[in-house]
Amino acid sequence: MFSLIGVPNIDFIGKRKISFLVSALLVVVGIIGFIMVSLGKANIGIDFAGGVMVQGHFLQPVGIDQLRDAIRTEFPDAQVNEVKDFSFPNAFIIKTKRPGTDAEGSQRAKRIEEILGTQFSGNQFTLDSESVIGPAVGEKLRRDAGWAILVSLIGILIYIALRFDFRSGVAATVATTHDVLAVVGIFYLLGLEFDLLTLSALLTLAGYSLTDKVVVYDRIRENLRKFRAKTEFIFCVNRSINETLSRTINTSTTVVVVVVMVFLGGETLRNFAIALILGVIIGTYSSIFVASPIVVEWEARSPRRFKK
């Protein structure tokens, strides 16, 4: 395997108290963000809040500020974004959130088209797509999203517990939950929109994070067989993290592709790409500084693997 670095000898486990403090802060922010998203009080997309999305293009160029002013006269909370690299030039996405009823959502969509037709009468607007999500559907999607994350985390616990042991399963689940909460918390703090694509990114990063932790746990198991009678548990864990560090860094460099997506993927994919970037960074951090140190702390309080 191509290796960017050799096998270092870094005392990662010795830094676990610092990393636990950092992680505790990330988790607290994440819990706050998760609660706010669940209550619908964060910046959530129309998938979860309910709303209207109109996408279309003009025949001639239109200034985005001019378009925003025209729409926000009647819908002050409207989001207007230009769509680059679309099939047609001069394309825009217009969103408004939280209609009171399904009927109000449909009325908003029609009204937006009427505004575009009257305010830009000399510049033909062609409707490419239109989505109306009622508040009841949005609330159901938000509730289902929470269940999807919960079920995936339980699945991780069961998988790791069966493949390794219960302690590793708990540690991997805690670390993966930490990763998901950290991204949710950062999204909340930055005011980034939380929608179905963001949820997809969270589930993707959970899979990435889990894979990285499985590699480290595999190496710990191998080293335990070699060194069980010769040295301490902490040494085995530290050695395992150092031996897999190059692989972890190599995998993390794939984030470069996602960075490109932030700039070239357009408005629709931007938050998805940001969530993946944050997920790779935090997942790498937690594989080194959270998952294995939890097992070390557990082993220190209740020795089992080195128990005579």
Side-chain angles (χ1 to χ4, degrees), residues 229-276:
K230 302 176 183 175
T231 185
E232 297 179 350
F233 184 63
I234 289 180
F235 171 83
C236 287
V237 175
N238 249 333
R239 184 184 177 97
S240 302
I241 296 173
N242 279 288
E243 288 178 351
T244 56
L245 187 62
S246 180
R247 181 264 176 201
T248 299
I249 293 174
N250 286 350
T251 305
S252 302
T253 54
T254 56
V255 76
V256 172
V257 178
V258 188
V259 171
V260 174
M261 193 189 299
V262 172
F263 298 101
L264 301 180
E267 186 68 27
T268 306
L269 294 178
R270 184 161 297 137
N271 285 350
F272 174 77
I274 292 173
L276 285 181

Side-chain angles (χ1 to χ4, degrees), residues 8-17 19 237-238 241-243 245 288-289 293:
N9 184 25
I10 303 172
D11 181 17
F12 293 109
I13 299 301
K15 310 293 188 299
R16 63 186 183 280
K17 292 184 179 178
S19 64
V237 175
N238 249 333
I241 296 173
N242 279 288
E243 288 178 351
L245 187 62
I288 299 171
F289 291 105

Side-chain angles (χ1 to χ4, degrees), residues 101-208:
T101 62
D102 292 2
E104 183 184 338
S106 299
Q107 290 172 359
R108 280 192 195 183
K110 291 179 182 176
R111 183 56 190 151
I112 289 172
E113 291 178 51
E114 289 173 0
I115 293 172
L116 296 175
T118 54
Q119 295 289 327
F120 303 92
S121 56
N123 190 355
Q124 182 183 348
F125 175 78
T126 302
L127 179 67
D128 296 314
S129 66
E130 177 184 294
S131 299
V132 179
I133 300 177
V137 175
E139 184 178 348
K140 183 178 185 304
L141 286 173
R142 196 166 64 241
R143 188 169 56 249
D144 291 347
W147 279 110
I149 293 175
L150 179 62
V151 170
S152 66
L153 292 175
I154 293 174
I156 288 172
L157 171 62
I158 295 172
Y159 169 72
I160 298 293
L162 291 175
R163 177 161 177 171
F164 296 97
D165 55 59
F166 180 70
R167 292 182 177 188
S168 298
V170 171
T173 306
V174 169
T176 306
T177 305
H178 157 281
D179 300 345
V180 172
L181 286 175
V183 174
V184 171
I186 293 173
F187 257 58
Y188 173 68
L189 287 180
L190 297 179
L192 297 174
E193 189 173 87
F194 194 91
D195 55 17
L196 277 178
L197 277 178
T198 311
L199 173 64
S200 302
L202 291 178
L203 296 177
T204 302
L205 80 86
Y208 163 80

Side-chain angles (χ1 to χ4, degrees), residues 21-141:
L21 286 175
V22 173
S23 294
L25 178 62
L26 289 173
V27 169
V28 168
V29 174
I31 290 173
I32 294 172
F34 188 79
I35 291 172
M36 299 305 281
V37 169
S38 300
L39 295 176
K41 295 183 178 179
N43 182 12
I44 55 179
I46 64 172
D47 306 321
F48 298 137
V52 176
M53 184 179 77
V54 173
Q55 180 172 348
H57 63 278
F58 289 91
L59 187 61
Q60 303 295 330
V62 173
I64 190 167
D65 290 336
Q66 184 185 5
L67 184 57
R68 282 175 177 153
D69 290 342
I71 298 295
R72 287 176 178 172
T73 301
E74 196 155 332
F75 302 105
D77 68 331
Q79 296 177 8
V80 181
N81 296 301
E82 187 172 3
V83 183
K84 296 180 179 177
D85 301 323
F86 188 56
S87 305
F88 303 99
N90 314 315
F92 295 89
I93 292 178
I94 302 167
K95 299 178 183 177
T96 71
K97 297 179 184 177
R98 297 184 174 86
T101 62
D102 292 2
E104 183 184 338
S106 299
Q107 290 172 359
R108 280 192 195 183
K110 291 179 182 176
R111 183 56 190 151
I112 289 172
E113 291 178 51
E114 289 173 0
I115 293 172
L116 296 175
T118 54
Q119 295 289 327
F120 303 92
S121 56
N123 190 355
Q124 182 183 348
F125 175 78
T126 302
L127 179 67
D128 296 314
S129 66
E130 177 184 294
S131 299
V132 179
I133 300 177
V137 175
E139 184 178 348
K140 183 178 185 304
L141 286 173

